[in-house]
Amino acid sequence: MPGKASGAGRTGSAKRNTGETQVSVDLNLDGTGIFDISLDNGMMKHMLSQFSKHGLVDLKVVAKGDTEVGWHHIVEDIGIVLGRALREAVGDARGIVRMGHSYAPLDEALALTVVDFSGRGYAVIEATIGDDDMGELAPDLIRHFLESLAREAGMALHVRLLAGENNHHKAEVIFKSLGRAIRMAVAKDPRATGDIPSTKGSLV
Ligand SMILES: [Mn+2]
């Protein structure tokens, strides 16, 4: 599995232990989409798996905590810790494409995600998923997760849910397009070897 000791690739690791949750994330941007997610929320596990698989990001997540208050704290904290690990793996953004976008469909549902590893966290999420919990994942937690992720990763994140009827499908296309957009953004740009993709010369 990914982590500091796994050898080749751009890796990031982050841990956070609070009175509410214990979350750790290890990832490898140069992975093949292998995931190992220890989390007692099946739907959120499914979403993180989509991100890993379609982003070709190897991802290890261990998350537990105060589920007696619901899933709010744990889902939020996974967003924070995943964002920090991502930021570490991207580093100074030298040689990467930096911006990425992806449309992802699933039957009737369609999402567009656009990201920019600008060093500044900002999220604009236009996605109305509806009121029904999908398994144990309340739809508003997806927005909360994405906002936390963008802030901590230092990326601009725009998500548009363009179509969809089924809540599960709507959530899934967001995570698939997120994975693919990040995959495009962190790809090494063969025409910009060694360069930081900013006229400012810095993205940190
Ligand atoms: Mn599914």
Side-chain angles (χ1 to χ4, degrees), residues 46-47 50 106 168 172:
H46 183 36
M47 296 300 99
Q50 296 299 328
L106 198 176
H168 185 111
E172 190 159 334

Side-chain angles (χ1 to χ4, degrees), residues 111-185:
L112 167 67
T113 298
V114 184
V115 301
D116 176 17
F117 282 94
S118 61
R120 299 185 305 279
Y122 201 101
V124 182
I125 314 298
E126 290 182 9
T128 303
I129 295 183
D131 294 329
D132 297 342
D133 283 15
M134 297 156 289
E136 288 191 300
L137 187 63
D140 75 302
L141 286 185
I142 294 176
R143 169 187 307 277
H144 200 42
F145 170 87
L146 294 169
E147 288 169 350
S148 301
L149 177 73
R151 187 182 67 241
E152 298 293 332
M155 66 177 176
L157 171 64
H158 290 255
V159 174
R160 300 287 182 279
L161 183 64
L162 300 171
E165 293 295 329
N166 178 277
N167 277 355
H168 185 111
H169 289 176
K170 291 188 211 173
E172 190 159 334
V173 288
I174 290 172
F175 280 85
K176 280 178 166 158
S177 67
L178 175 70
R180 285 195 167 256
I182 288 177
R183 173 174 157 188
M184 181 191 282

Side-chain angles (χ1 to χ4, degrees), residues 70-91:
W71 286 98
H72 190 102
H73 292 152
I74 293 181
V75 171
E76 176 183 13
D77 288 358
I78 294 171
I80 291 170
V81 179
L82 179 61
R84 288 178 186 172
L86 196 53
R87 188 170 205 147
E88 186 195 332
V90 168

